[in-house]
Structure formats: C-alpha cells, structure tokens
Amino acid sequence: MAQVLEHSRSQVMIAVDPHKASWTAAAVDASLQLLATVRVPVSDDGYRELRRFARKWSNTHWAIEGATGLGAPLTHRLDDDGVEVVDVPAKLAARVRLLSTGHGRKSDDADAASIGVAALTAQGLSTARMDAAVTALRAIVEHREDLVKTRTQTVNRLHVVLTHLIPAGAPRGLSADGAAEMLRRVRPRDLAGKTMRGLAVDLVAEVRQLDRRIAKAVGDIEAAVVESGSSLTELCGIGVLNAGKILGRVGSIHRFRSNAAFASYTGTAPIEASSGDVVRHRLSRAGDRQLNCVLHTMAITQIGRDTPGRAYYQRKRAAGKSHMEALRCLKRRLSDVVYRQLLRDSETELAAGPGGHSGAALSSCAAG
C-alpha cells in the first residue's frame, strides 16, 4: 500500500497545449506544482525533443488538450510508440486556468500547466484512442461540409452577377444547368454586359466542378458508413450523411460512461438552474453543436411522421410544454436512442471478432 502511494506521489503529468505549428508541454507533479515547460516545433525534431523532455522524470503520464482534434498528430505519434494519452477537454482546462492564482492570464505555458492540473484532478477523463477509419471518416465529412459552404458562396455570387444581366435576377434554388440555360438567352452588346456574362459563365463552371466534388465526397461517406457496418441508418431520421457525422465525431462510444454523459456531449442534457424551493432547468448551449444539429434533424423528421417520437412529442405538448420545450425533451430522448444503438453496434462488432462488421439487425425509429 505504501509503495502504491509513493508511486502516485512520484508521477509527473506531461501536459501538452497543441497548436498548428508548435507544441508547448508542461511537467506537473502530483502536488500540482509546475516543474518545467518546453516549446517545440511540430516536426520530427520537435517530437524527439518532447520525448527527451519527458524522460527527465521516471514516472510520467501524458495529457493533451483536444487529443483527437488539434492534438491528433501528436496523439498518433505517441500511440505508435505505445504511449497512452489522456484527452483533456479545452473547457475543463480553461476553468482550471480561470481559478488559478494567475487570475486567468493566458499564455501557452499557463495553458499547458492548466491541462496538467486538469488531467491530475478531474475524474472520468478518457484515454484517447485514435481509430484510422474514424479519423478518415470525420475528415471526409468535414471536407464535404466545406465544399457545400463554398458552393453556397459561389451560387450567391452567381445570383449577384445575374441581376446585372436578367431582370429580377434568377429564382431561388439555382442550379448550374438552370443558370446555363438562362445565360444562353442573354447576348449583351456593351462591354459591361459582356464582362458580366463572362463572369457568370466562369461561376457556372465552378458550381459544376463543386457539384462533382460534393457527389464524390457523398459517395466516399456512404462507402465508409457501409464499411463500418453501422446500423444508425435504421433509425428514423438518420440518413447516411448524418450517420457518417455521428461516427466521425463520436469515435468510440465506450469513452462515455453513461447515456447521460453522451447527452451532455451532444448538448441535449438540460442544465439544472434551481434555487431554494424553485426547481427548474435551462437549455444547454454546450456540447458538440454538430451532433446537436443531427439530433435536431432526427427529431423534426420523427415529429413529421407517424413514429413513437411523434407520440412522445404530442404527450409533452398535451402536458403544457411549448413546441421548443417538447422538441428539446424529444432530442434528449433521441440522444439515448443513438447511444444505445452505438452500444449495440459495438457489442455486435466485438462478438463478430476481428474482421467482423458491427451492424445490428435492428429496425427502430422509436424515441422510447
């Protein structure tokens, strides 16, 4: 027992604040005292220097803020070398920094020290697990979203140019084919008109190219979701694209200790704001807003169809709740549905063994 206590007292947390071009590491001991800091470039030489810094102490553990996000490259390198990494949420480290004696002053060294203190004191932090398939899927999903945003901006510019060529411009829902058909009927003779038409032709070509790239990204997402064997698409209101977003952003479902923790992560768990005899809850603006959006879409879809989700929503409305209150209740319930489905998929994958797929033969659109 004494040896275990001594071992815990001697441990040193190597906490890393990752940036695009640099890693700042702080060594924090079990008494929460800062021992040393180092800043290295994001490179092979920087990684080797970081490992040499950690070898100054014998009993070291690693923690990275956003280990599967901005810290993913470093997490990958450490994982390849057999080093486990604790994932520290950015908000948790920010709270530690706010309560520190530095009065919330922000610097890379202070951020790294706050990450170390958070890793040593917080309960329930998960070990980062880098799954190559999950990382690839998330990258594809985010790539498609960027392409869709770029297409929207390009179409908006095309609308502006067309207002100079066509009375009242083009209608909503403009497509590349529709714009090209409109331009065929426009033959300006003046210099300004010819210039505007040339710009419009270029923008139509850009939209066509973006449409092809978006279609390819959608196909890649569909293939990745099928390859994963996920049964999320069997849930009413979740298509292939939203299933890909869930799989890419959640990663391993086992990093959530309960359905309540998962609901907190998705931003669907209400926050208690009670005082005295008054018991009330308020809307949570925290959590992953992308996953919250997926659950919102799922809830709206179920309300519009004859589903148990719609029946649940109607019961909440009959109990006196407003539309938004009943919708938030439904989103919270659907978070549990998605959580259970991900657990079933994981259990099925484990049962199938290496090389097996995780698809469960379940068909559920229920909110109960």
Side-chain angles (χ1 to χ4, degrees), residues 125-202:
L125 293 182
S126 60
T127 300
R129 291 283 184 265
M130 301 305 299
D131 187 320
V134 171
T135 302
L137 179 56
R138 178 165 178 168
I140 297 171
V141 170
E142 292 177 350
H143 175 60
R144 175 194 167 274
E145 291 176 349
D146 289 340
L147 289 174
V148 170
K149 290 177 184 177
T150 302
R151 184 189 186 280
T152 300
Q153 294 170 350
T154 306
V155 170
N156 288 342
R157 292 199 299 270
L158 180 58
H159 269 289
V160 173
V161 174
L162 288 177
T163 58
H164 295 277
L165 298 171
I166 301 170
R172 290 186 176 183
L174 183 64
S175 65
D177 291 339
E181 182 62 30
M182 297 174 70
L183 288 173
R184 291 191 189 98
R185 300 192 294 268
V186 178
R187 297 294 178 184
R189 296 173 180 268
D190 61 305
L191 177 61
K194 290 179 179 179
T195 301
M196 289 295 178
R197 189 180 187 281
L199 290 175
V201 170
D202 290 343

Side-chain angles (χ1 to χ4, degrees), residues 31-231:
S31 61
L32 308 184
Q33 296 300 309
L34 178 62
L35 302 177
T37 61
V38 66
R39 179 187 175 93
V40 301
V42 176
S43 63
D44 291 340
D45 290 339
Y47 177 73
R48 285 190 287 269
E49 185 178 350
L50 202 59
R51 294 302 303 275
R52 285 196 297 270
F53 173 76
R55 282 195 289 269
K56 294 179 180 178
W57 301 273
S58 59
N59 183 19
T60 56
H61 301 270
W62 288 76
I64 299 177
E65 181 182 271
T68 58
L70 192 58
L74 178 57
T75 305
H76 273 297
R77 295 288 297 270
L78 292 169
D79 187 58
D80 290 341
D81 289 343
V83 178
E84 287 193 350
V85 174
V86 174
D87 186 8
V88 177
K91 288 186 177 180
L92 178 59
R95 292 192 192 103
V96 172
R97 185 178 66 251
L98 184 63
L99 296 173
S100 67
T101 55
H103 304 291
R105 295 189 183 93
K106 183 168 172 54
S107 67
D108 288 346
D109 288 352
D111 288 347
S114 299
I115 294 164
V117 172
L120 288 165
T121 58
Q123 300 293 323
L125 293 182
S126 60
T127 300
R129 291 283 184 265
M130 301 305 299
D131 187 320
V134 171
T135 302
L137 179 56
R138 178 165 178 168
I140 297 171
V141 170
E142 292 177 350
H143 175 60
R144 175 194 167 274
E145 291 176 349
D146 289 340
L147 289 174
V148 170
K149 290 177 184 177
T150 302
R151 184 189 186 280
T152 300
Q153 294 170 350
T154 306
V155 170
N156 288 342
R157 292 199 299 270
L158 180 58
H159 269 289
V160 173
V161 174
L162 288 177
T163 58
H164 295 277
L165 298 171
I166 301 170
R172 290 186 176 183
L174 183 64
S175 65
D177 291 339
E181 182 62 30
M182 297 174 70
L183 288 173
R184 291 191 189 98
R185 300 192 294 268
V186 178
R187 297 294 178 184
R189 296 173 180 268
D190 61 305
L191 177 61
K194 290 179 179 179
T195 301
M196 289 295 178
R197 189 180 187 281
L199 290 175
V201 170
D202 290 343
L203 289 172
V204 169
E206 287 184 30
V207 173
R208 291 189 192 280
Q209 183 182 22
L210 287 167
D211 285 340
R212 289 192 293 269
R213 295 177 66 187
I214 290 171
K216 180 182 182 302
V218 170
D220 292 340
I221 293 170
E222 291 178 346
V225 171
V226 171
E227 178 66 23
S228 73
S230 172
S231 63

Side-chain angles (χ1 to χ4, degrees), residues 323-341:
H323 164 69
M324 291 305 299
E325 289 172 336
L327 181 62
R328 288 197 290 267
C329 291
L330 177 57
K331 286 168 64 176
R332 173 64 181 85
R333 184 65 66 89
L334 292 176
S335 176
D336 289 349
V337 173
V338 172
Y339 176 77
R340 289 195 297 268
Q341 197 80 349

